[in-house]
Every structure is written in structure tokens, then in C-alpha cells.
Amino acid sequence: MIRRHVMGIFNDEDRTIDAIKALKESAFPIKKVHSPIPSHKLMDAMGVRKSLLGYFTLMGGIAGFFIGFFLAMYTSVQWNLIVSGKPIVALVPFFIVGFECTILFGVLGNVIGLLTLSRLPRYKNLQQYDERLSGNHFGIVAECEEGQQENLTRFFEEKGAETKRVYIY
Amino acid sequence: MSRLSYAEIDRTVLDTLTPPRRAYWLTVAVLFCGILIGATCWGYQILVGIGVGGQNHPVAWGTYLINFVFWVGIAHSGTLISAILYLFRAGWRNPIARAAETMTVFAVCTAGLFPLIHLGRVWLVYYMLPYPNQRNLWPNFQSPLVFDLIAISTYLTVSSLFWYTGLIPDIARARDNATGTRKKIYKILSLGWTGELEQWRHYSRGYLFFAALATPLVISVHSVVSWDFALSVVPGWHSTIFAPYFVAGAIHSGLAMVITLMIPLRAIFNYKRIITDDVLENVAKTIIFTGLIVGFAYATEYFIAWYSHNPVEIESFRWRALGDYTVEFWIMVICNTLIPLLFFIKKIRRSVPWLFGISILVNVGMWFERFVIIAGGPAHGFIPHSWGLYSPSMVEFGIMLGTFSLFFFLFFLFVKHLPSVSMTEMKELVHEGENSHD
């Protein structure tokens, strides 16, 4: 069955939250919510869970420490040259290399996690998008069955939406 | 801050991206000429040899290292503002965070050039990298110079990624407002950002981790830079206070550079409602704090030299204040520790001409601090018959002009092509203000 998607565009955050709450009690499932800012009020209304991104960062950081530390250790034992009376495998200096690599790989893990979880880059999204959403408007995309879009559009009108858009996908 | 609407924030910031006037291109052209002068001097040095610089026995590290430390220092306050103050939830950082972070990226790029310039045979730079080779020779990971290579390249990577990540929602806003080729470029750069809650959920978390990782990094980077000196046994360098002393100095100079850049930026781009007098005043207050730490570090160095009863240390510090570099030393002390105390007077820290003037003087003072430390240490070391003075050559001045021009050239290009104030963070600030009034 072909599903219809209707986007209600609001110019006020509180009205958007009211619409979300009403939609949750209706027969129209919410597909997406757009916001120009990371609004905690909206996230609470949607019941958004904490991101798992931290695991990517943590894994990157742990891997980075061992990569840095063992790179320094491995390369030192290739040529046992004593410098300034320090041991060949000198823990304190190698810890510094490990520390810098912890940060570097932690950040790389963070970026990879962010791109993976947010599914970026993804340009197809822009086909179901309104340019006001990055400015000062909020958008809710709800789903309905074919023939129901008028009801959904009316629903958004009642909730104070400025504009409605219908997408088929 | 007077109440700004989201639309006003967008309009003010996006207006800066309109096609520039002739005066802008003229400034860019002048800066480009400065870069050409620097590039020519560097080319001449590569052809003739490193001897065209003023570095010689006993002072082997001259303006190339002075400028390296200076620019790494400038970079630090960008991360202080964008990461450390973010973790402290200091809302006044939001209007200047983007410009400060940009300053970080370009300052690290500029700093990164100096080790290459100082190498002489720049094409052998890959010797520093740990790559597998037949001779089984690897970099010495016990050397602070190798720590420095790792720390600076990490810093450049992290600050560039942090900067770009912060830009994504704003580039999306610019994309939605642009037309033609600009729109296409912004579309690619924004990675298809649509501001879905699902994206914000991961983005907010990612941004927090960026800040959390950048904070220890920024402290470690200038500590590592300080160990380039402190791990040697040169009098005036071999000091355990160097790491915190360098970090405080770095933030001190960087904050001054933030004021130097923000004042013209807000005047040219009509940002007065965004970068308010209160924001500049808060930066000035932070400069008082860092200036006091720097002053305390100067005093501690003298105390330790006296308390140690070490004749070489005592002579080194006596000579620093009263010897051949006495002018440079007193410029350093007056500009870095005494002049910032003027910010205790409210009228001065709220006066734009005073703020601008003092910020320039702190920048000058911090440059001379690096001169006094880097050139002053080996110039007056252990053995009197190996004492000697250093003064920069014209080639070094040319290269210095080139790199300063490069920094401002990149910053000028940035402010007309990408949002120089974070619209998202400004909207968040307004949003928080609205909620606190509810």
C-alpha cells in the first residue's frame, strides 16, 4: 500500500510540542521531526533516547592509546640505542605518545560514529525538506494511509501549522 | 543581550556572505602580496641555505621557533573558548566561539609552517614520520621534538574536525538561503544536513565529546611545546614550571588576539548586537586572570633562581632583566602583566579603543616573551666564552611578514565565505534565555 507523508511546519516550538503530543495519541505515526536547534524540550516530547555515539569515541580512544604506545615501543626495540641513559622501552615518554594518540583516535572514532549514526552524508533527504526548517521553523512529518492525507493535513491546521506539505515515498 | 529573534540572527550572519566590495578584495590582495614576500624569502633560503637566517652558534633557534610557539599559543584560546568554556556552560562564549575556533585552525596551520621553514632541507621532512624503511631507522619517541610533531598534528586534525562539525548546521542554513553555485557548494559541504531530531541527538553528544577531548589536548599541546625547552639543560629553559607557564601564556596571547580580531569583525559586519560589549568585557576579565598567572610565573622563575643558589641560574636571570635583551624583557613584563591590570577599571574594559590597544600590546608582549625565552636561554648559557647574541635577518623578517599575512589572508577569506558567527549556538542562547524567562 502506498503511504503518504505530510509535513506540518510550525513557527513556534510550543505548538510543535503540542502537535507531537496529540499525534502520539492519534493514528498517525510520527516519522521525523525537524528543528533549527537541538531543543531538549522537543527531544523530551519525542522521548529521544541518549545517543550511543560515546561507544565509538571510547573504542577510538582505547585503540589510539595502544596504537601510540605500541608504535613507540615497537620502533624502539628495532634498534636498541640508549638515549640519555633512559631505558629502551621508556614508559613515561611513550605514555605521552599514547596520550596524544588517545585523543586523535578518540576524535576520529567520534567523527566516524557521528557520520554513521546520523547517516551523513545523505543528500536524498533534501527532497523531503523545507528550506525554512534550518531558520526559525519546526517541522513534523507524519505518516498516513492513502486517502487519509486530508485528515492529517486538517489535523496539522488545527494544531496551528503554518504550512503543510505532502510527500509520497 | 537584547532579545534577538532567530530570523534576526540569520539575517545578520547571512548578510556577511553577500558578494564583497572592492575594499575587501584590495585588502586580500595586499595580504597576498605579503604572502608572496614570505614565500620568496623562504625560496631564497632553500636555494642559498639556512645560513641566510640570523640563527648561529650559540642561538640556533630564532624567529622560526619564536613564531612557532607564538602561533601555537594564539591557537589555544580558540579551543579554550570553543571547548573549555563550552564544558563550563559559559553562554557568553557563543557569539565568538566560531571566530575563535577558526583562529585556532589558521593559527595552527601557520605555526605548522615554521618547523618546515626551520628544517632548511624541507624535502626531508618525512624523516620525522614513523614509516617502515630498509634501514630500520625510526623516529626517537623519547624526544620532545617527536612529541611535538604528534601533538601538533593531532591538534590540527582535532581542531579542524571540531570546527567543521560545528559548521555543518550553519552551512545548511547558508545552503537554504543561497542560490546558484554557492548553493551547490554549501549543499555538498553541509553533507545533506536537515536538522532532524535524530541528527541533533547524535550531533549534541558528538559535540560534547569533541569538547571533552579537546580540553586535555589543548593543555597537553602547549605543555609538549614547553618541553621542547624544559627537557634540555639550558639555564632559563630547564624549569618544571614551563608547562603551566606556557599554557597560561598561550591562553593570554590568544584571548588578546580574539579581541584584536573581534573588534574589527563586529564593526565591519554590524555584529554589535551579537558580539556585545558584555562579551568583550568577559574576554577582558579573563585576560586579567591569565595575565596574573603569567606575572606569577615570571616571579616564580626569579624566586627559584634566587632560592636555588645556583650561580648559573642566578646569572641567567640577572642578565635577562639587565643584560643585552633588557628592552625585550621589560616590553614582555610591562605588556603582559602590568598593562592588562588596566582592565580592572570597568571604563577601560568597556571602551573599544582601549580594549583594542591593550590587546595589541599583549600580543606584542607575548611575542617578546617567546623571544626572551627562546633566544635568551642559549645566548647566555653555562660557559662565558660561548655567549653570543642573536638578531633576526631580513630573510626572517620577510618570512615572518609572510606568515602573519597568511593568517589574516585565511581569516579574511573565511569571514566572507562561511558563517563567522555560529547561528545555531546563538539561537540556542536565545532559546535558553526564553526558557529561563518562562
Side-chain angles (χ1 to χ4, degrees), chain B residues 73-95:
Chain B
I74 293 294
H76 276 43
S77 77
T79 316
L80 169 93
I81 290 168
S82 57
I84 301 178
L85 293 182
Y86 176 80
L87 295 179
F88 280 107
R89 300 283 185 259
W92 62 266
R93 68 169 274 285
N94 289 24

Side-chain angles (χ1 to χ4, degrees), chain A residues 13 32-35 41 48-49 51 53 75 86-87 100 110 120-123 125 129 131 134-135, chain B residues 10 138 141-142 173 175-176 183 187-188 191 194-197 200-202 206 217 220 427 431 435:
Chain A
E13 189 188 29
K32 287 189 285 193
V33 175
H34 294 266
S35 166
K41 280 160 84 179
V48 169
R49 282 175 297 126
S51 167
L53 179 64
T75 55
K86 281 180 268 186
E100 298 298 341
N110 197 36
L120 292 173
R122 189 170 45 150
Y123 299 100
N125 267 3
Y129 177 70
E131 290 178 347
S134 60
Chain B
D10 283 350
W138 297 87
F141 281 101
Q142 297 184 16
R173 181 71 201 113
R175 169 202 68 200
D176 295 344
K183 193 178 186 75
K187 184 182 168 184
I188 294 165
L191 308 178
T194 54
E196 288 168 38
L197 279 195
W200 282 123
R201 174 163 84 102
H202 304 301
L217 174 67
S220 81
K427 288 174 191 172
H431 185 251
N435 285 342

Side-chain angles (χ1 to χ4, degrees), chain A residues 13-14 20 32-43 46 48-55 57 68 71-76 78-79 81 83-84 86-90 92-94 96-97 99-104 106-108 110-111 113-115 117-123 125-126 128-138, chain B residues 6-7 10 130 135-144 146-147 150-155 157-158 161-162 165 168-169 172-178 183 186-210 212-214 216-217 220-221 224 227 231 423-425 427-428 431 434-435 438:
Chain A
E13 189 188 29
D14 292 331
I20 289 171
K32 287 189 285 193
V33 175
H34 294 266
S35 166
I37 52 162
S39 162
H40 292 288
K41 280 160 84 179
L42 277 178
M43 289 198 198
M46 283 293 291
V48 169
R49 282 175 297 126
K50 206 164 84 175
S51 167
L52 297 176
L53 179 64
Y55 291 104
T57 320
L71 174 72
M73 206 167 80
Y74 168 78
T75 55
S76 297
Q78 297 305 302
W79 194 301
L81 185 68
V83 180
S84 308
K86 281 180 268 186
I88 299 295
V89 177
V92 175
F94 293 178
I96 296 165
V97 180
F99 175 82
E100 298 298 341
C101 289
T102 305
I103 306 281
L104 177 63
V107 162
L108 293 177
N110 197 36
V111 171
L114 180 60
L115 294 177
L117 295 173
S118 317
R119 295 190 198 158
L120 292 173
R122 189 170 45 150
Y123 299 100
N125 267 3
L126 295 170
Q128 296 96 35
Y129 177 70
D130 188 282
E131 290 178 347
R132 288 168 294 171
L133 295 174
S134 60
N136 52 357
H137 285 71
F138 301 83
Chain B
Y6 288 8
D10 283 350
R135 296 154 292 163
N136 224 8
L137 285 174
W138 297 87
N140 174 15
F141 281 101
Q142 297 184 16
S143 161
V146 176
F147 302 162
I150 298 165
I152 296 291
S153 24
T154 300
Y155 193 33
T157 313
V158 170
L161 288 171
F162 192 19
T165 306
I168 291 172
R173 181 71 201 113
R175 169 202 68 200
D176 295 344
N177 193 57
K183 193 178 186 75
Y186 288 141
K187 184 182 168 184
I188 294 165
L189 291 177
S190 66
L191 308 178
W193 179 270
T194 54
E196 288 168 38
L197 279 195
E198 190 59 13
Q199 289 174 341
W200 282 123
R201 174 163 84 102
H202 304 301
Y203 178 90
S204 306
R205 204 83 189 137
Y207 201 80
L208 179 72
F209 292 134
F210 256 121
L213 288 166
L217 174 67
S220 81
V221 168
V224 163
W227 295 335
L231 265 67
M423 291 177 275
T424 308
E425 290 195 276
K427 288 174 191 172
E428 278 186 85
H431 185 251
E434 282 169 357
N435 285 342
D438 284 350

